[in-house]
Amino acid sequence: MKIITCFKLVPEEQDIVITPERSLNFDRADAKISQFDLNAIEAATQLTAEGDEIVALTVGGSLLQNSKVRKDVLSRGPDSLFMVQDPQLEHALPRDTAQALACAAKNIKFDLMLFGEGSGDVYAQQVGLLVGELLQLPVVNAVSNIQRNGDRILVERTLEDEVEVIDLPLPAVICVTSDINTPRIPAMKAILGAGKKPVTPWQASDIGWTPASPLAELVSLSVPPQTERKHIILENDSAEAIAELAEHLKKALN
């Protein structure tokens, strides 16, 4: 079985700076693998058997130049990495991202394609479903368990009152939830071996992708205004003070 596990590089949250104008400054933010995509990578490694192959696939802009992140991906189980880097994918919305991934997947060939439930920045939860539609393949989201069943796979979706079991033919596209597994921390041997695994950089022209006319445009990104903290001091523990505290808490929660 050949599995493509897709991932997105996102800025490190703790390094993002909020400016006085309520905009976001990413200048000092390093790149990292989206947390939800780590679950997809781990699911791929747990599903493989001897003779199987895992391919990591990503599309994006300047963040893909980070060699440390490339090693991080490859140290987690994939046998190779394919990257589609293009300035038009720098801040791509789900539609363009999905089209680029679908074009790349056609060039790689695969039996199963895995996605996380969403990305750590936008969290639109659309890309995996869009890729399945573009490739005209069976696609299931919110998957909490995957099992091999000969040349097919069984997937489970944990719904509100029941667990849904779906038997899927291959090839197929799956979007896994964050509770499907706990991503492992790579061992030192895997980290050292990651540098020897093949990395294939592609441009948009290499996979036959051209951006379509946008259906939506990202106009701006800003931080909501901060609410000024209220400093209310109650100096005793009388019944009246407790009642007043309770009233303040009710107002804050409502």
Side-chain angles (χ1 to χ4, degrees), residues 139-141 143 147 153-157 164-168:
V139 54
V140 181
N141 69 335
V143 171
Q147 297 180 18
I153 58 170
L154 288 175
V155 301
E156 294 182 3
R157 302 174 77 230
E164 186 177 66
V165 180
I166 304 172
D167 183 17
L168 285 175

Side-chain angles (χ1 to χ4, degrees), residues 12 134 137 212 228:
E12 180 65 63
L134 290 167
L137 294 176
E228 185 177 350

Side-chain angles (χ1 to χ4, degrees), residues 12 15-17 25-30:
E12 180 65 63
D15 297 332
I16 300 174
V17 176
N25 187 315
F26 299 93
D27 292 345
R28 297 183 180 180
D30 204 358

Side-chain angles (χ1 to χ4, degrees), residues 7-8 60 67-68 71 75 79 92 105 110 127 131 146 148 197 207 234 243-244 252:
F7 68 97
K8 182 179 182 180
S67 60
K68 183 177 69 174
K71 280 191 174 183
S75 68
D79 301 295
F110 64 95
V127 173
V131 170
I146 310 173
R148 300 175 74 140
K197 294 181 179 180
I207 60 170
L234 304 175
E244 184 181 353

Side-chain angles (χ1 to χ4, degrees), residues 81-250:
L81 169 61
F82 287 79
M83 306 184 305
V84 181
Q85 184 175 355
D86 191 275
Q88 298 175 96
L89 292 167
E90 185 71 42
H91 300 292
L93 294 178
R95 182 172 175 242
D96 278 336
T97 300
Q99 289 175 334
L101 287 170
C103 288
K106 290 178 181 177
N107 285 269
I108 297 173
K109 308 298 181 183
F110 64 95
D111 299 295
L112 182 64
M113 202 168 184
L114 293 177
F115 289 85
E117 60 184 273
S119 62
D121 50 1
V122 180
Y123 197 65
Q125 296 181 285
Q126 297 177 19
V127 173
L129 297 174
L130 288 170
V131 170
E133 173 63 22
L134 290 167
L135 295 175
Q136 290 294 288
L137 294 176
V139 54
V140 181
N141 69 335
V143 171
S144 54
N145 188 28
I146 310 173
Q147 297 180 18
R148 300 175 74 140
N149 184 24
D151 58 351
R152 305 171 70 89
I153 58 170
L154 288 175
V155 301
E156 294 182 3
R157 302 174 77 230
T158 303
L159 306 179
E160 187 172 346
D161 300 319
E162 59 190 6
V163 175
E164 186 177 66
V165 180
I166 304 172
D167 183 17
L168 285 175
L170 296 176
V173 179
I174 302 296
C175 307
V176 303
T177 63
S178 57
D179 58 359
I180 191 172
N181 55 49
T182 300
R184 290 169 289 182
I185 298 175
M188 182 57 66
K189 182 179 180 181
I191 295 173
L192 294 175
K196 301 177 182 179
K197 294 181 179 180
V199 176
T200 303
W202 276 338
Q203 295 180 344
S205 58
D206 296 324
I207 60 170
W209 174 77
T210 53
S213 300
L215 300 177
E217 181 182 354
L218 181 61
V219 177
S220 64
L221 189 64
S222 59
V223 180
Q226 290 184 325
T227 303
E228 185 177 350
R229 292 185 179 182
K230 295 182 179 180
H231 299 277
I232 301 173
I233 300 175
L234 304 175
E235 297 182 349
N236 58 71
D237 57 356
S238 65
E240 292 78 8
I242 293 173
E244 184 181 353
L245 174 61
E247 190 63 29
H248 285 304
L249 291 174
K250 287 179 182 178

Side-chain angles (χ1 to χ4, degrees), residues 9-69:
L9 297 187
V10 298
E12 180 65 63
E13 295 93 342
Q14 63 184 8
D15 297 332
I16 300 174
V17 176
I18 300 176
T19 68
E21 295 78 24
R22 302 201 340 257
S23 62
L24 300 178
N25 187 315
F26 299 93
D27 292 345
R28 297 183 180 180
D30 204 358
K32 71 171 186 177
I33 306 169
S34 173
Q35 183 63 37
F36 303 108
D37 293 333
L38 293 178
N39 296 112
I41 297 171
E42 180 66 23
T45 61
Q46 292 182 7
L47 194 61
T48 53
E50 186 176 354
D52 291 342
E53 180 184 359
I54 302 176
V55 175
L57 172 63
T58 186
V59 304
S62 58
L63 290 181
L64 298 187
Q65 297 172 358
N66 191 314
S67 60
K68 183 177 69 174
V69 179

